[in-house]
Amino acid sequence: MNNLTLIQPDDWHLHVRTGAVLNTVIAHTAQQFARAIIMPNLKPPVTTVEMALVYRTEILQALPQGSAFQPLMTLYLTNQTTLEEVQKVAESEHVYGFKLYPAGATTNSDAGVSNLTALYPVLEAMQKYDVPLLIHGEVTNAECDIFDREAVFVEQTLSELVKNFPDLRIVLEHVTTEEAVQFVESTGKNIAATITPQHLLYNRNAILAGGIRPHYYCLPILKREKHRLALVKAATSGNPKFFLGTDSAPHLTHTKENACGCAGCYSAYGAIELYAEAFEQVNALDKLEGFASFFGADFYKLPRNTKTITLEKNAWTVPLSYDGITPLKANETLAWKMLL
Ligand code: NCD
Ligand code: ZN
Ligand code: ZN
């Protein structure tokens, strides 16, 4: 197969930041995707509908002229989130959910939630208004091994949450383990998960083999090969509970090539090509369209896109840098290229 045409995909987990970086990265996303769920972990975090609308306007202004790309906004859940804010989200046509960052779990999560039980009234309201909860699913206690943080979160926190709020729509973001996949597979229709390209393409050796390679460092951290295989199986299974979310998370190169480097991989420049690479490795290109273009829209109760994009088998070398951001697979070859 040398050509692959799909309904235009959406990215259900994306960081675009603000200012100069936003200008660089939004053009990449808008070239490929019709819509994207925009993560709210700015400094300060996006905690109100009002702030989300200001951020949305900044994103729209940064888009290349004529782009029809639609940013789907989210709010950052904090210990102070009010019931009124949940209602405002339910009534908003631009805000699509709340993001739960356990305090200390990842980039800009210090304003995150420290006591989930105290937030139960807020979650109750989200369940009532059918507002989705998007979760960075890792425990944060310092004693927990970094490679176990997701599995422990699933076992201890998520299973409890799902029991207490059986109708709450939940997206377990960027799943990285067999345990998370099994949990999502075995729970109700209202529980889904996004999967990133880096977790489909790499295991944890990528970060450490031959030297420390900071551009493969993201959170949740890459896991063992058996987990990568479980993710590939889930993504290519045709199960609508698993859909595309790049977690493209740009950081300037010097902040990653650093004694204390930031977590996040930049993939928006060639996201659909990276996924095509992963799906082709297991001869599952026929499953890419459901994963990339249908299942996320269905979960968020949005119409599927109608335009198409075409990928061509035409190897190209990924640049070393995009305006100071080192991309995933920098200076390596990608087999597929989207036609512009
Ligand atoms: C993300 C970021 O940089 O904003 N980083 C990451 O490693 N995934 C935050 C997140 O999604 O956890
Ligand atoms: Zn995260
Ligand atoms: Zn993220």
Side-chain angles (χ1 to χ4, degrees), residues 18-73:
T18 57
V21 170
L22 169 63
N23 285 306
T24 301
V25 302
I26 200 65
H28 288 158
T29 289
Q31 215 162 54
Q32 304 205 329
F33 296 102
R35 301 168 287 202
I37 285 278
I38 306 295
M39 289 296 154
N41 60 332
L42 303 183
K43 263 183 175 167
V46 180
T47 52
T48 64
V49 170
E50 208 181 322
M51 290 173 86
L53 295 180
V54 172
Y55 187 26
R56 179 175 176 272
T57 303
E58 189 191 344
I59 295 169
L60 292 175
Q61 283 168 353
L63 282 171
Q65 266 213 328
S67 172
F69 174 79
Q70 287 178 49
L72 312 176
M73 310 310 291

Side-chain angles (χ1 to χ4, degrees), residues 13 15 17 39 41 99 101 105-108 136 174 198 217-220 247 249-251 263-265:
H13 182 136
H15 302 269
R17 319 301 191 199
M39 289 296 154
N41 60 332
K99 179 70 188 279
Y101 291 102
T106 188
T107 308
N108 297 344
H136 180 110
H174 46 45
Q198 65 268 23
Y217 174 59
C218 66
L219 290 171
D247 192 21
H251 291 276
C265 299

